[in-house]
């Protein structure tokens, strides 16, 4: 595509821009228009992702294996984890302002590190533990002056963080069991989570209740809704493209810039993001801790080739809230994306 052909810098800029816009559109749908039908958002996102993935594959812009039932069976746990991860993440955004949402989501690293310890016996370094403690300390300070504190919404975020940790465990297992590139996993997880979300929507009687939604025919709402659905795929695509053209390190830094810009602009756009010195200081401390964490993680000395092939789960969570690409290969296909050469990370 255009970005792939014109350099890695555009991929970074595009990812940050579309991610920030996507968060704002989602927040507007959920909080301003008070749209509560998360299941329907999920169904529409899955349909959009499947259509675009199939079209891009036909156009030879993406590469992943054709659908195979035997592979799909192995990926049932991934599709279930993907569904739960999506539902909790979007639901929690309804009751939490954007600055706090980004800060609370960063505490998910704790749950991933815990999963790594019990499943992989991976013990984090002292510096990593310190950086995570800084993140948590900052979040606690910010929460003290969160004027829109909602215990239920906070609990949704933390449960969502646990679901995210489980989701990344399933991703690692799926990679090992199937050998699929990440773009292939993206296709399967969307394809297989679609019927689950459809069943959830039917069980919640979403389609019957939708007619009573006050903005169902409002042009402004419909514009925000369909643009957000489209952006969900665009953001996922640029995550893969950004990592393919640059590295997981660049993706992690880009993700932090996304949170920074989201936090900054949210104070001017949304009424629930009220400026308070203590709250902002706490958010700043949390942000500094996350940047420190990323620096420690990606500057580890003498990484063996085996370790390069198996990126820790905590690195994946920090790089992306969904499936995180992990590697760059020369003269071939990177995570399902066509590549002409290896691009060395310049950061």
């Amino acid at each position: 595509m255009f970005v792939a052909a014109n350099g890695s810098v555009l991929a970074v800029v595009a990812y940050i821009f579309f991610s920030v816009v996507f968060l704002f559109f989602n927040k507007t749908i959920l909080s301003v228009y008070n749209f509560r039908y998360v299941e329907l958002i999920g169904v529409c996102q899955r349909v959009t992702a499947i259509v675009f993935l199939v079209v891009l594959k036909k156009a030879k812009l993406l590469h992943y294996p054709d659908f195979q039932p035997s592979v799909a069976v192995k990926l049932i746990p991934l599709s279930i984890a993907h569904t739960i991860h999506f539902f909790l993440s979007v639901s929690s955004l309804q009751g939490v302002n954007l600055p706090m949402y980004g800060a609370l989501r960063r505490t998910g690293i704790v749950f991933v590190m815990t999963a790594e310890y019990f499943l992989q016996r991976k013990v984090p370094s002292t510096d990593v533990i310190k950086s995570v403690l800084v993140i948590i300390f900052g979040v606690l300070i910010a929460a003290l002056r969160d004027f829109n504190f909602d215990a239920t919404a906070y609990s949704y975020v933390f449960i969502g963080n646990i679901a995210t940790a489980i989701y990344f465990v399933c991703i690692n297992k799926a990679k090992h069991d199937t050998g699929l590139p990440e773009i292939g996993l993206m296709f399967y997880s969307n394809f297989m989570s679609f019927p689950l979300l459809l069943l959830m929507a039917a069980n919640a009687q979403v389609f019957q209740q939708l007619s009573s939604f006050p903005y169902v025919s409002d042009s402004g709402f419909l514009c925000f809704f369909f643009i957000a659905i489209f952006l969900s795929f665009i953001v996922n695509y640029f995550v893969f493209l950004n990592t393919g053209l640059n590295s997981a390190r660049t993706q992690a830094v880009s993700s932090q810039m996304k949170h920074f810009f989201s936090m900054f602009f949210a104070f001017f756009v949304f009424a629930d993001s009220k400026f308070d010195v203590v709250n902002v200081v706490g958010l700043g401390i949390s942000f500094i801790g996350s940047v420190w964490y990323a620096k420690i993680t990606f500057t580890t000395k003498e990484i063996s080739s085996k370790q390069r092939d198996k990126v820790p789960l905590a690195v994946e969570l920090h790089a992306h809230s969904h499936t995180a690409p992990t590697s760059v290969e020369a003269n071939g296909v990177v995570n399902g994306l066509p590549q002409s050469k290896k691009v060395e990370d310049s950061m």
Side-chain angles (χ1 to χ4, degrees):
M1 298 184 85
F2 177 83
V3 175
N6 287 271
S8 57
V9 175
L10 284 177
V12 173
V13 174
Y15 166 75
I16 295 173
F17 173 78
F18 285 116
S19 294
V20 173
V21 174
F22 177 56
L23 274 175
F24 275 71
F25 269 72
N26 266 347
K27 182 64 176 175
T28 300
I29 291 169
L30 296 168
S31 298
V32 177
Y33 287 103
N34 200 32
F35 189 75
R36 301 299 181 185
Y37 309 116
V38 176
E39 301 90 346
L40 182 60
I41 294 175
V43 169
C44 293
Q45 285 185 357
R46 299 308 174 276
V47 171
T48 302
I50 293 168
V51 170
F52 272 95
L53 287 170
V54 170
V55 170
L56 290 173
K57 181 181 179 181
K58 294 292 185 182
K60 300 188 183 303
L61 294 172
L62 293 180
H63 302 281
Y64 56 89
D66 293 332
F67 182 84
Q68 298 178 10
S70 59
V71 174
V73 171
K74 295 179 181 179
L75 296 178
I76 290 176
L78 175 64
S79 61
I80 295 174
H82 184 205
T83 303
I84 297 172
H85 159 76
F86 161 80
F87 183 81
L88 291 173
S89 296
V90 177
S91 297
S92 61
L93 186 58
Q94 292 178 326
V96 181
N97 62 62
L98 274 182
M100 283 304 303
Y101 179 79
L104 291 170
R105 288 291 289 168
R106 285 194 285 273
T107 63
I109 297 170
V110 176
F111 299 103
V112 179
M113 288 169 57
T114 302
E116 285 183 337
Y117 175 77
F118 286 107
L119 296 173
Q120 299 179 350
R121 295 302 174 187
K122 175 179 171 57
V123 180
S125 68
T126 302
D127 285 341
V128 167
I129 293 174
K130 288 179 181 178
S131 66
V132 173
L133 288 176
V134 170
I135 293 174
I136 295 173
F137 178 65
V139 170
L140 290 175
I141 292 177
L144 290 175
R145 298 299 292 270
D146 180 8
F147 296 110
N148 297 289
F149 177 80
D150 184 331
T152 301
Y154 269 51
S155 65
Y156 261 78
V157 177
F158 288 122
I159 297 173
N161 286 341
I162 296 173
T164 299
I166 297 173
Y167 178 47
F168 279 98
V169 170
C170 291
I171 288 173
N172 267 22
K173 187 176 187 302
K175 291 177 188 174
H176 178 269
D177 293 346
T178 65
L180 286 171
E182 280 80 356
I183 205 74
L185 292 176
M186 180 181 173
F187 171 77
Y188 274 95
S189 61
N190 277 283
F191 185 83
M192 296 177 63
S193 63
F194 168 72
L196 295 177
L197 285 163
L198 196 61
L199 286 173
M200 290 172 63
N203 183 62
Q205 297 185 328
V206 168
F207 302 105
Q208 293 90 328
Q209 297 177 30
L210 192 61
S211 59
S212 62
F213 179 64
Y215 300 103
V216 69
S217 59
D218 181 83
S219 58
F221 166 75
L222 293 175
C223 180
F224 271 91
F225 182 84
F226 287 112
I227 291 176
I229 297 301
F230 174 71
L231 285 173
S232 67
F233 174 78
I234 296 298
V235 170
N236 272 299
Y237 176 80
F238 276 112
V239 167
F240 293 114
L241 185 61
N242 189 20
T243 306
L245 290 175
N246 297 289
S247 69
R249 180 196 307 181
T250 305
Q251 176 57 31
V253 174
S254 301
S255 181
Q256 293 311 308
M257 293 305 298
K258 172 195 71 176
H259 288 303
F260 174 79
F261 286 117
S262 298
M263 177 180 69
F264 179 79
F265 288 114
F267 285 114
F268 299 96
V269 177
F270 295 108
D272 63 353
S273 299
K274 298 178 181 178
F275 181 84
D276 177 81
V277 175
V278 175
N279 180 259
V280 171
V281 168
L283 292 171
I285 292 173
S286 174
F287 178 76
I288 291 171
S290 66
V291 173
W292 182 18
Y293 170 85
K295 181 178 183 296
I296 294 169
T297 302
F298 290 109
T299 55
T300 303
K301 297 179 180 179
E302 299 298 324
I303 301 177
S304 67
S305 58
K306 182 178 180 180
Q307 288 174 318
R308 283 194 199 96
D309 292 335
K310 187 177 182 181
V311 176
L313 298 177
V315 175
E316 294 196 44
L317 175 66
H318 202 68
H320 182 41
S321 60
H322 299 286
T323 309
T326 58
S327 63
V328 177
E329 300 172 358
N331 300 321
V333 175
V334 180
N335 299 329
L337 297 168
Q339 301 288 311
S340 58
K341 63 178 181 178
K342 179 175 179 178
V343 181
E344 297 293 344
D345 178 40
S346 59
M347 298 188 63

